[in-house]
Amino acid sequence: MASQQPDGSETSWAQVELPVEGRISHLEADLSQTPSGPGTCFAEHLQELPFAPVHAPIVVGAQTRSSGSPLSRASMVLLQSSGFPEILDASQRPVEAVNPTDPVKFNPQKEESDCLQSNEIVLQFLAFSRVPQDRQGTPWPQTVYFTFQFYRFPPTTTPRLQLVKLDETGQTSNGPVSHILVLIDKDGSFDAGSPGFQRRYLVDPGFLKPGERRWFSRYLAMQTLQVDVWDGDSLLLIGSAAVQMKHLLRQGRPAVQVSHELEVVATEYEQDAMVVSGDVTRFGSVKPIGVHTVVKGRLYLTLANVGHLCEQRVRDSRSLPPSRSRVISNDGASHFEGGSLLLRGGLRPVKNVVQAQKLADVDSELAAMLFTHSRPGAQGHQGSGPEAEAVRRRKLERMRAVRLQESGGGLGGPRTGMLAQQGVRAQHARDLRVIAAYRERTKAQSIASALSLAITTEHTVYATLGTAEFFEFVLRNPHNTQHTVTIEVDTPELSLILDSQEWRHFKDASNLHTPVEEDMFHVRGGLAPQLFLRPREAAHVPFKYQTFSAVQASAGLRPEGDTDTGSPGRCSVMPTRHAKVLFRTSGGKPLAVLRLTVEPQPHVVDQVFRFYHPELTFLKKAIRLPPWHTLPGAPVGMPGEAPPLHVRCSDPNVICETQNVGPGEPRDVFLKVASGRSPEIKDFFVIIYTDRWLATPTQIWQIHLHSLQRVDVSCVTGQRTHLSLVLRGTQTLRKVRAFTSHPQELTTDPKGVFVLPPHGVQDLHVGVRPLRAGGRFVHLNVVDVDCHQRVASWLMCLSCRPPLISKAFEITLAVGEGKGANKRITYTNPYPSRRTYQLHSDHPELLQFKEDNFQVGGGETYTIGLRFAPSQRAGEKEVLIYINDHEDKNEETFCVKVIYQ
């Protein structure tokens, strides 16, 4: 993850990073002690000892040590000549470009006073190139796609983009532009003449809530946008890049753009192993995990912010709530104004006039009852259909009766017509009796419902994950007698603020100057709180609505032609929620009713963590936050004013906790998550607070836990190990291909595309030849090449033992030699017959063989030609040479110590 540390020029809005280092409690008992007496039968509590976890935590900011740098002049020439579309401002003029190394002077007043209130954020993906340090044997992806989340818009997944190699590529030392990005059409073709891909987000006053503009400016000034890069064919994560967005602050300019060259960094975790520790616990503890970061490539990205005039400013100003919207009064509550009791909640005309309608046309239950009575042979109304269906069937019965009357009058004479009229009159009489009985039964309920409208107040709350929405309800006692009011809330997410200190904290945060009362409520055990009201008295009742359940839009792959501007209206799929507060007197009669409509809003994600873990196991991770105050040269344990740290999780089944430690010590957020079945992905959010009352989150982390099938492989470094995996077919015929995250160490058979029959079972043969010793994870995906869907996934847990070294050599090379060095070593065949051998190395980027395989007769000696690559740095490196037989089993291993000086 990219660090969120702001520059020194932004101290006025600095969002200080948090510390976190918690100690996990560990229970220990001395089992060698004997009981105090032979008759001891009581159980003693174990004493809790402080226990620090041995495994190394993940440090926030070290997940993606992606560093951005300005584009070189050679890269700019290549990008300018590739034909990328130019970003224009509102006047159709080229946007001013800024240097990403220039400091940003952030003035909040200048941002708020800008006449261009609408901001169009543009993300333009230009190119993706491999780094010169990458091993040349490593395959380069053909297609890529990106996932990220900007501000509180839903997570975005771009279409698949083709990597098109440039004809002319410079050979600069800092990595030239080698491949540009081109959008792939639905038929799989692409047009190299229109390179690049853009994603636009419109942030205008219609999208922002009142007072949110300054928070959006702070987001641009402080936050870092993380972009995950995926292989479009194997669906494997290549790496992540992070870019600071502070240069998107226009500061009164009409538009601004900045181009970045970002490192795409992959983070690899070694699997945990059990070792015997030498501490006083004398128990097995977790071996420190190794975290390796590798630069996979460079992403060329342009960010722009184009200002626009807000055309709907007048209309939007009407929809804004009043300045004191946190105080809700029931003075203007809707009440019954006469007329029909059936028009509940609808818009009423200015005059108190309601057009008369038939009861059967506005009440589906009554229409169903009349329809049932009109058909004596019917078995009753089947289910509760919609109102229109019941009314339609009743009208059809009436039309059938009219037609019967008309036909009877023409064919059977006056007697038949008279009988039909008598039947219609009888039916009408029955309908009137049913209507009268129905009205008598529902009269009390309708009158009570209409009267409750007079004491009902409706309010809308726009809630985000983890943020407490504070408001006060003015409760009035309209009677001349005192009352003890019981407050009943129907949802746990809406709660009363009972602590006066917490109430005062929220009032200060919202700049609300209403009175605060001590010991305002009377609480008895688990019963509802009670409030005492004097005659004709009004009291401010404090509430807060806070939810920890996240309903975030999914980041599924969008249609490949979808390049529309992101907007809150088209991507908001969060359901509306409702809450109700009932204020009852001691006699049980309602005094007031508060109905809340909760509109969930998307939230900002500050950090994204992605873990791959074996299925049906527990993932245990400690995520460390940097120190709250980091002073240069400050000693460890220096006392500071670090705020209290609290964490919450959106998933109640995830254990998320932290513990306060000594001043100046780092703190950890400890997670314990149960993984599901493969290929389930569990997403949840971790909310971090630095205030006692959990009012506003300081950071929100998004955790992705990928559950994969685990395959344990015990192997020897440099020697191939074979195993088979069972691949099961789906309901349809698929063309699939196997991909791996380490193709140099893991191979599959079949190699290319093969057919997976429906409901069939096929063996997938896997060969593993690790390059280095230790334990680590390797990912294996089987992907549908037509639909680009993952069919199966495995997590290969490698436990690699080092081979036995039979010979050791040492050579010295000069630093900076452009041609490298050629050396020779000999190998004698110990067998009496002729044998074929294969040569491999654990550092193919440093050592190449003249021949990768050779044949030598029994007892004969063969000379192996070696070529060592040059190095620009002084140092030492040990290179292993594996000599394997025709079955790729290790015969001997040579160690060559290369000294660059």
Side-chain angles (χ1 to χ4, degrees), residues 65 68 81 127 186 237 251 286 307 382 526 530-531 563-564 663 678 714 815 850 862 866 871:
R65 298 175 183 172
S81 60
K186 293 183 179 180
L237 180 65
Q251 293 291 283
V286 183
Q382 300 296 328
Q530 291 182 336
L531 172 66
T563 58
D564 296 340
S678 176
S714 179
V815 176
K850 183 179 180 181
Y862 180 81
L866 308 178
S871 175

Side-chain angles (χ1 to χ4, degrees), residues 277-561:
S277 64
D279 57 6
V280 297
T281 59
R282 300 189 303 273
F283 288 111
S285 60
V286 183
K287 181 182 178 180
I289 63 173
V291 180
H292 304 277
T293 55
V294 182
V295 179
K296 291 292 187 179
R298 297 182 182 273
L299 174 63
Y300 298 86
L301 176 67
T302 297
L303 305 177
N305 184 0
V306 180
H308 297 276
L309 288 173
C310 186
E311 301 176 356
Q312 302 176 353
R313 182 178 302 174
V314 178
R315 189 191 70 177
D316 291 336
S317 63
R318 296 176 182 176
S319 61
L320 296 180
S323 58
R324 297 177 64 86
S325 59
R326 293 187 182 274
V327 179
I328 307 170
S329 177
N330 60 353
D331 292 342
S334 59
H335 56 277
F336 179 62
E337 301 176 354
S340 175
L341 298 177
L342 300 173
L343 298 178
R344 303 185 184 96
L347 296 177
R348 301 186 181 276
V350 179
K351 297 181 179 180
N352 192 14
V353 177
V354 178
Q355 184 178 1
Q357 291 179 289
K358 296 181 180 180
L359 286 177
D361 294 341
V362 296
D363 195 305
S364 59
E365 183 180 1
L366 178 59
M369 294 175 60
L370 295 176
F371 178 74
T372 303
H373 279 67
S374 64
R375 299 178 58 187
Q379 298 297 326
H381 184 61
Q382 300 296 328
S384 58
E387 176 181 344
E389 180 65 19
V391 173
R392 186 184 68 86
R393 288 185 291 181
R394 182 175 177 275
K395 290 182 177 180
L396 289 176
E397 290 293 332
R398 289 162 53 188
M399 186 179 298
R400 189 178 297 109
V402 172
R403 290 181 178 177
L404 179 62
Q405 177 181 355
E406 294 177 352
S407 62
L411 297 177
R415 181 176 178 83
T416 305
M418 187 178 300
L419 292 177
Q421 292 179 2
Q422 293 178 356
V424 171
R425 292 193 186 97
Q427 179 66 33
H428 287 174
R430 286 194 296 267
D431 290 349
L432 290 176
R433 290 194 296 270
V434 172
I435 293 175
Y438 180 78
R439 290 183 60 187
E440 192 65 27
R441 182 170 64 88
T442 60
K443 182 185 299 184
Q445 179 182 359
S446 299
I447 294 176
S449 178
L451 292 177
S452 67
L453 295 178
I455 60 173
T456 300
T457 304
E458 295 185 354
H459 182 66
T460 302
V461 175
Y462 298 92
T464 56
L465 176 67
T467 302
E469 295 294 335
F470 164 74
F471 62 91
E472 292 180 353
F473 178 73
V474 181
L475 180 62
R476 302 181 185 276
N477 181 11
H479 306 137
N480 295 324
T481 58
Q482 59 188 17
H483 288 294
T484 300
V485 182
T486 303
I487 305 174
E488 302 175 359
V489 183
D490 64 347
T491 174
E493 296 174 337
L494 179 64
S495 60
L496 270 172
I497 299 180
L498 304 177
D499 195 314
S500 59
Q501 296 183 6
E502 181 181 4
W503 188 5
R504 188 174 291 105
H505 171 81
F506 280 102
K507 293 172 76 68
D508 294 341
S510 56
N511 196 20
L512 195 61
H513 302 288
T514 52
V516 177
E517 299 185 26
E518 301 288 342
D519 299 330
M520 185 174 180
F521 303 100
H522 175 62
V523 182
R524 297 178 301 171
L527 301 179
Q530 291 182 336
L531 172 66
F532 179 80
L533 286 180
R534 300 177 180 87
R536 301 290 180 177
E537 184 187 17
H540 290 251
V541 183
F543 289 93
K544 70 173 180 180
Y545 183 90
Q546 189 172 27
T547 178
F548 295 103
S549 60
V551 185
Q552 188 81 319
S554 62
L557 188 62
R558 294 182 180 225
E560 305 215 349

